[in-house]
Amino acid sequence: MDTSLKTSLQTQLRGALHDIISASPDLVGARLPSSRTLASELSISRTTVQAVYDQMISEGYLVTRQGSGTYVASDITHLSQPQPIFRPAAPRTEPWLPFQAGLPDQSLLPGRQWARHLERAWRAPAPELLGRPDPQGWYPLREAISDHLAAWRHLKCDPGQVVITSGAREAFEVIFHGLLGTEKTVAIEDPCWPKLHTILTDTGNRALPVRIDKEGFAVDRLPNEAHAAIVTPSRHYPTGVSLPLPRRIALLDWARQTGATVIEDDYDSEFRYRGQPLPSLSGLDGLNNTIYLGSFSKLVSPALRIGYMVVPKRLLQKTLGYLERTGPRASLIPQPALGTFMNSGEFAMHLRRMRRVYARRQTHLLGALTPLSDLLDVKADSSGMHLCIGLRERLPDQVSDLDVCKLAHKHGLQLGAVSKHCVLPNKMQGLVLGYAAFEEKTLSDAANRLVSVLRSAC
């Protein structure tokens, strides 16, 4: 009600009720508030409300029921038919298809323990949680990450060097917008994570692809004019090749000699099943010419949207300056729970359990793919969450990895094509099969379908 209008309150109320009833056919038979209640809520006279009710009863919009109240009439024939209200269909959540890569088995997360950490953090939140958030992220979580890296990746760093991010995209934006600058030439692996090209273009930089070989990133092909290199040395994505120690040392020597920065994307190094993992590249370097990127999307859940980066001390002030201008983007809600989850030892137990389960599933998938050994170069992988499988010459020349993926998708399988990760000519051929998120029976059924697909292609 607007008392500043020349229109009377009675006219305003009658017009508002008329518009609501006319536009909402689903209100037929709805009970109206009593005149006393509505007058109190609108801060107007009860006499005004009662007068409007009486008028609309006489017009046929409302009816009264003895001892019950006032209702919208069920048959208002003189009203025009209201226009249907468009309601978009609810989004459909479809299950992941077998062999989809990059997915953890989220059912392995100890739900009760995780919920307990969340509840404890927010039932009576610490004053720091309710104040202005730290642009670097929740400090106890950064402490836990620092301890985790020292124990699992031989990377010693101060919690002050750790920055919590919402994922890899934000980390690269911080690096190129806030630290290294734009209009840089950035060497990247070929094949690599396809989104990396888009991210570099969006941040105003030029990607310089370097084709990998059987030992991973070919350091001797690095041009001196490159300002930075983005690599996955622990486990190249998507081939799974681990960069040997001599090449790691050569890459760090290149960075020191040219003044370039090496960005290490250590996306799933915790999942190693055989042998001792090599120290992280940043651990070998002492974080002098390297920036380390990590994520919890594969260790806990992609829905968490929590990653982190570790920057050299010499870049710390520039990092803080950029974060002060942009503000934090990672949600603070899960951060204290994640910190206590890690400090309790439950996180390490969770990782070891995932590692055992994933190793068993890889072994099972290798066995299920044995009937295709004449068509596919099926080999065990010492780490990771997917297999990268080469195509043998017995497949017809005209059948590419993209052809196999398209055929498999028609049979409910989601394979990845290595060629889609390449930009250089003479694209590598291979299939990417994720196994971590799928139980053994699902993997067996999917492998049987893949056998049928490939036999039909021959």
Side-chain angles (χ1 to χ4, degrees):
M1 301 289 100
D2 190 346
T3 57
S4 66
L5 298 178
K6 294 183 179 180
T7 307
S8 68
L9 296 178
Q10 184 172 325
T11 302
Q12 290 184 47
L13 179 59
R14 191 264 174 199
L17 288 175
H18 176 274
D19 291 345
I20 293 172
I21 294 172
S22 300
S24 306
D26 54 334
L27 289 180
V28 168
R31 186 178 186 276
L32 275 71
S34 68
S35 59
R36 186 187 304 277
T37 299
L38 187 57
S40 175
E41 291 179 352
L42 299 178
S43 299
I44 60 177
S45 166
R46 182 185 179 191
T47 302
T48 299
V49 176
Q50 191 59 58
V52 171
Y53 278 9
D54 291 342
Q55 179 183 354
M56 296 188 73
I57 290 171
S58 66
E59 293 172 347
Y61 292 100
L62 305 178
V63 295
T64 58
R65 298 177 187 172
Q66 186 66 34
S68 179
T70 305
Y71 295 81
V72 177
S74 59
D75 185 17
I76 309 176
T77 56
H78 54 292
L79 285 181
S80 59
Q81 187 68 23
Q83 294 295 320
I85 300 174
F86 173 74
R87 290 185 174 88
R92 294 181 299 173
T93 302
E94 298 182 357
W96 297 108
L97 296 179
F99 299 140
Q100 172 71 44
L103 298 175
D105 188 342
Q106 298 178 74
S107 68
L108 297 177
L109 181 68
R112 290 185 179 180
Q113 296 171 4
W114 175 248
R116 185 178 70 249
H117 289 293
L118 272 174
E119 196 270 340
R120 285 179 177 174
W122 293 101
R123 177 180 55 195
E128 295 83 359
L129 286 173
L130 304 178
R132 182 173 179 268
D134 188 330
Q136 282 188 254
W138 181 240
Y139 187 80
L141 174 57
R142 291 191 279 131
E143 284 185 310
I145 290 172
S146 177
D147 293 339
H148 171 75
L149 292 177
W152 287 69
R153 301 301 299 124
H154 302 285
L155 173 57
K156 295 181 180 180
C157 63
D158 186 272
Q161 296 174 260
V162 179
V163 176
I164 306 300
T165 69
S166 58
R169 176 176 284 274
E170 184 190 358
F172 285 120
E173 289 176 0
V174 174
I175 291 170
F176 290 109
H177 285 315
L179 303 182
L180 305 185
T182 57
E183 299 182 0
K184 296 292 190 293
T185 299
V186 183
I188 61 173
E189 300 161 326
D190 185 84
C192 74
W193 181 40
K195 292 183 180 179
L196 193 53
H197 296 272
T198 303
I199 292 173
L200 288 174
T201 300
D202 291 346
T203 54
N205 295 283
R206 182 173 75 93
L208 181 64
V210 176
R211 174 59 53 82
I212 70 161
D213 57 26
K214 62 181 181 180
E215 292 189 323
F217 194 64
V219 181
D220 57 345
R221 299 176 188 170
L222 268 171
N224 289 333
E225 65 267 22
H227 301 92
I230 302 173
V231 294
T232 53
S234 295
R235 187 169 186 271
H236 171 259
Y237 184 83
T239 66
V241 175
S242 179
L243 196 66
L245 186 58
R247 287 200 178 186
R248 295 180 183 226
I249 294 173
L251 180 58
L252 296 177
D253 287 341
W254 169 82
R256 281 191 293 269
Q257 293 168 9
T258 62
T261 301
V262 177
I263 302 165
E264 178 182 14
D265 185 1
D266 208 29
Y267 64 97
D268 70 353
S269 60
E270 284 85 355
F271 300 124
R272 188 167 185 87
Y273 314 124
R274 290 173 293 278
Q276 291 296 318
L278 288 171
S280 65
L281 196 68
S282 300
L284 288 173
D285 176 60
L287 284 169
N288 291 311
N289 300 291
T290 52
I291 297 175
Y292 181 92
L293 305 186
S295 173
F296 291 98
S297 64
K298 295 174 177 59
L299 307 183
V300 180
S301 168
L304 202 60
R305 302 303 306 159
I306 296 291
Y308 59 92
M309 55 187 294
V310 188
V311 300
K313 291 183 178 179
R314 61 181 176 83
L315 295 177
L316 194 53
Q317 287 304 314
K318 292 181 70 174
T319 304
L320 295 177
Y322 178 80
L323 294 173
E324 287 288 351
R325 295 193 302 272
T326 60
R329 282 163 53 182
S331 173
L332 183 61
I333 298 297
Q335 292 186 41
L338 184 55
T340 56
F341 183 49
M342 296 178 74
N343 288 329
S344 68
E346 294 167 353
F347 177 66
M349 293 174 60
H350 170 58
L351 292 187
R352 292 187 180 99
R353 181 189 180 201
M354 294 173 80
R355 194 160 57 185
R356 290 194 301 270
V357 171
Y358 294 173
R360 187 173 66 243
R361 289 177 180 176
Q362 184 193 119
T363 300
H364 184 86
L365 177 58
L366 290 169
L369 293 175
T370 300
L372 291 173
S373 57
D374 60 323
L375 302 177
L376 300 180
D377 186 14
V378 181
K379 295 179 181 178
D381 198 331
S382 61
S383 60
M385 301 165 63
H386 70 263
L387 291 174
C388 187
I389 300 175
L391 307 182
R392 291 195 183 277
E393 295 180 355
R394 288 200 59 182
L395 276 171
D397 292 338
Q398 69 273 18
V399 176
S400 67
D401 56 1
L402 286 173
D403 296 328
V404 175
C405 291
K406 290 177 183 177
L407 288 171
H409 194 267
K410 293 179 181 179
H411 291 76
L413 304 176
Q414 186 69 50
L415 280 66
V418 173
S419 63
K420 290 191 69 174
H421 297 71
C422 300
V423 295
L424 294 175
N426 300 319
K427 297 183 178 182
M428 295 176 64
Q429 293 285 305
L431 302 174
V432 178
L433 278 68
Y435 55 81
F438 307 102
E439 295 182 352
E440 282 86 343
K441 183 180 185 305
T442 302
L443 293 173
S444 294
D445 294 342
N448 290 336
R449 276 180 274 166
L450 183 60
V451 170
S452 300
V453 168
L454 286 176
R455 292 302 178 196
S456 65
C458 295

